Structure formats: structure tokens, C-alpha cells
Amino acid sequence: MTSNRVPLSPVLDQILNGGTGVSLNLPAIRRKVLDEERMFLTEGLNNAFVFKFPRFGETKEDTQDLDSLQSKKQPRPIETGLFVPYDVKDPVRGGYAIYLRQANYANLLRELMGVDVENTKQFATDVDILNMIDELPSLDPFLLKESFGLAGIKVSPRYFEINPKEEREIRELIQDKILPIVGTALGVRSRLDLINKSKGFLEAIWDPSLPEASLFVSAFGISTGDAASVFGAWKGVTYYQYAFQRYRERLALVFSWMGSELSVPVDIQQNRAYAEQQRMYKHSVITRMKEMVRELGQIFREYESCYSEFLDRANPKPFREFLLSASKIYWLLGYCTTAIAHICTCFRSTVLARQSRRLSFDQTNMLLSRLDLAVNRHRNRDSTIA
């Protein structure tokens, strides 16, 4: 039977099909977990999709200062949204979006979700979880799991399903970066002493409240009060470096296809009047994608350069400055990595799912509009998503 459904809008497609890091399908998970393991106490929240939506034109140079980024009143490069479907059993019909930083957030949350943010007795836990999620640039399972664990909030592991091997690789990557720095910062020469002294510090990286954290931050001139945000951002930067490496091959496939004859629509002759317009649109999208990849590469090169300067030349200043700006960089990396994840997901579901790898003119336009959404940093919020 032929479906009469209208194709999903790019925004709704990103929310429903964006994949890991972009959105979290709470209704689907809620159906699989026990009541005591649900994420939110308010069932209305468990019937919503949490998603991340990049919308501000941020670069490393014009990102706001750390104090502004930490203020609940200030915008961020990435917003956290709640998508409330008209029908939770059929979310493709559309629904409403609530952004956690919009002016009327509290009113919308009360009217659409039944959550009163001012009722600290009844809704404190749910509001704390929303704020905690809002502090993350993306919804990657590793980052979510770390945040919930650090906050001591127990929910079903289904909310952040991560392959144990992948989690181990990420932790080892972070620890491999930290161990040499511990030795240099604390003046430890003996490998045995380094291993012994590092145990407590490695635990402090995952729990900045431990006393060992102060030994490290004082060596860099970072206040103890900033330890949690600095460590969190440092872990985040290292995580996104890992994620970027994982996506590189998949992203290379996207660029290869877009630059080949396979990306020419099969019915291009029937649409030759609009062929040049589509070609220019494709060129614009490819250009922005390449700029984003270059920006990511530049940040990671800076990271490695500061790191090497400290280890090889005993100059901690560049690395200290990098750590102090890590929170700003963290958000930009989150934006770029989320965009790349969505690009790869769109490409897999639209192109790789087809044996011929060829699309029609209309299908190509739809793919380009979805990729454009991922890389377009200047777009408006809309409370209604259809």
C-alpha cells in the first residue's frame, strides 16, 4: 500500500533519526525499563525526545567567555530541546519543541509537560536532570553516563547504552593523556612512583572532589573550584577527539560520493532547468562541511601542540591556557561532532541503504537540505515541528 505521509522535515528527521549524540528517544527506552529505573519521575518528560540543536554562529575566536557560558541566562552554541509529540505512538506526525534556554521555558514546561520548575519539593530531581543534560554539548552515551554517575543519579543503563570495549578505549585514551602529565606536574621520575601516585589522581579525574585533584590544578594555577569544569571539559575534548577519529572513514565516504558521478541524480535530464541550482547548493554544503572538518582538525592540532610543549619542553603555560579555555572549546567540538554524526547517519539511511547508491533529483534535494541543517550555524528556533 502506498503511504500518503508527507516527507519528514529536516528538523524532525534530525530529532527522530539523528542517532547517538543528537537525540535521545525517551519513550522507546521507557517502555523497556522498570518504573524505578526511569529517567524522570514525571511521566510527561519520559514521553518526550531530548535533542541537541546547534544554532549559534560560534567559532573558537568569538565563543563567549567562560563565565557567560556557565550562566543559565546566556545562549550556547548548542541548545537542549525537548520534542513533545502530538502522538507519542506516532511521533512522525510532529509536535512541539521546548528549548531549555528560551524565555518562556518554565511556562511551556508547566503547560505541556506538567512540570513546575519553581516547585522544588516535587520536581527538584527532574529539573536537576534537565539542567545536567543541558550542561553537555551532545548526548553521547559516554558523556551522559559520566554525568549521571558523578551526580549519583541511578537510572537504567539502557539510557546510555555504550559498548564496554568502546567505553574502555575512551577511558584508556583519557588516562594515557593524563599519566605523563601527572609525572611532569608532580615531579615524579620513577615509573613505579608514577603508577602509585597516579592511582589517586586518575580517580580524581572521574571525581574532581577527591583531594588528589587539588595537587594537579595547583600545578597549573587552576583554582580548586574550577576543577570540576576543567576536568569535565578536558575529558570531553579527549572524548571528541576519539569520536572524530571514529567518524573520519564514514565522513570520507560522504565526501567521496558527493564528489563523484554517483551523486548526480538519475533523473537529472528531466530536471535540467534546476540542475545548476542544485549543483551550486551541493557545492555550498560541501564547502561548509570541509570548513567544519578543518576547524576540528585545527583544534586537535592545538591540543596536541600544547600537550607536547608541556611534556617535551617543560613549558606548562600553553597547556594551562588550553585547559582554562577547554570549556569553550568543548562546546564547539560538541557542535561539530554532533553535526558530523548527523551527516553520517543521513548518508547511511539515504544513500548507503540503496544498492545503486543513486538518488532522484528530489531525493538529492532532501539529502542536501538535511546536511545543510547539520552544518548551518545560523537558524531560528521553532516551537512547532512538523
Side-chain angles (χ1 to χ4, degrees), residues 69-298:
L69 279 175
Q70 291 177 334
S71 169
K72 192 78 176 80
K73 299 297 183 182
Q74 292 294 328
R76 284 178 168 171
I78 300 170
E79 290 201 63
T80 306
L82 295 172
F83 169 61
V84 188
Y86 297 130
D87 181 354
V88 71
K89 295 180 180 178
D90 192 16
V92 295
R93 290 180 53 198
Y96 295 99
I98 304 173
Y99 297 91
L100 270 59
R101 290 175 178 270
Q102 66 188 97
N104 59 343
Y105 155 68
N107 292 334
L108 287 173
L109 205 61
R110 184 169 50 249
E111 293 171 9
L112 296 177
M113 312 295 294
V115 175
D116 185 354
V117 297
E118 296 178 358
N119 187 337
T120 56
K121 185 176 181 180
Q122 183 178 353
F123 299 105
T125 301
D126 286 347
V127 173
D128 285 346
I129 291 174
L130 287 173
N131 290 337
M132 183 176 67
I133 292 174
D134 191 40
E135 292 298 314
L136 297 174
S138 67
L139 297 170
D140 293 276
F142 177 80
L143 300 178
L144 274 175
K145 187 174 182 179
E146 285 295 314
S147 294
F148 273 83
L150 194 57
I153 299 174
K154 294 184 178 181
V155 299
S156 170
R158 287 183 181 271
Y159 285 104
F160 16 76
E161 290 185 339
I162 180 171
N163 184 296
K165 179 177 179 293
E166 180 182 335
E167 183 177 10
R168 189 168 57 252
E169 286 177 353
I170 298 169
R171 281 180 171 266
E172 287 175 354
L173 177 63
I174 293 172
Q175 291 177 1
D176 286 346
K177 284 286 186 185
I178 292 167
L179 273 174
I181 285 180
V182 176
T184 303
L186 303 182
V188 178
R189 302 293 181 187
S190 162
R191 177 171 176 77
L192 182 60
D193 285 347
L194 176 59
I195 293 173
N196 289 333
K197 287 181 178 290
S198 296
K199 286 180 181 177
F201 179 70
L202 290 175
E203 290 175 5
I205 283 291
W206 311 110
D207 183 0
S209 65
L210 294 176
E212 286 83 358
S214 62
L215 296 175
F216 177 77
V217 296
S218 62
F220 286 95
I222 299 168
S223 68
T224 304
D226 288 333
S229 62
V230 168
F231 285 3
W234 187 9
K235 285 187 290 186
V237 170
T238 308
Y239 167 77
Y240 287 129
Q241 188 179 33
Y242 168 87
F244 179 57
Q245 291 300 325
R246 285 181 58 222
Y247 281 118
R248 287 189 75 151
E249 287 187 11
R250 281 177 271 181
L251 195 58
L253 283 177
V254 180
F255 282 122
S256 176
W257 180 85
M258 294 186 77
S260 73
E261 289 297 315
L262 288 174
S263 67
V264 177
V266 292
D267 54 351
I268 190 69
Q269 288 304 316
Q270 295 93 308
N271 294 275
R272 56 183 177 272
Y274 304 98
E276 180 60 17
Q277 182 180 355
Q278 187 183 82
R279 188 195 66 78
M280 292 176 65
Y281 186 28
K282 180 168 70 173
H283 175 73
S284 172
V285 172
I286 292 174
T287 298
R288 285 203 296 275
M289 286 169 56
K290 288 182 176 179
E291 287 174 353
M292 187 174 61
V293 172
R294 278 196 296 269
E295 194 167 24
L296 269 175
Q298 178 60 32

Side-chain angles (χ1 to χ4, degrees), residues 311-326:
L311 292 184
D312 300 338
R313 298 179 180 83
N315 178 14
K317 184 180 177 182
F319 195 67
R320 179 176 63 241
E321 292 175 350
F322 183 90
L323 289 180
L324 289 171
S325 66

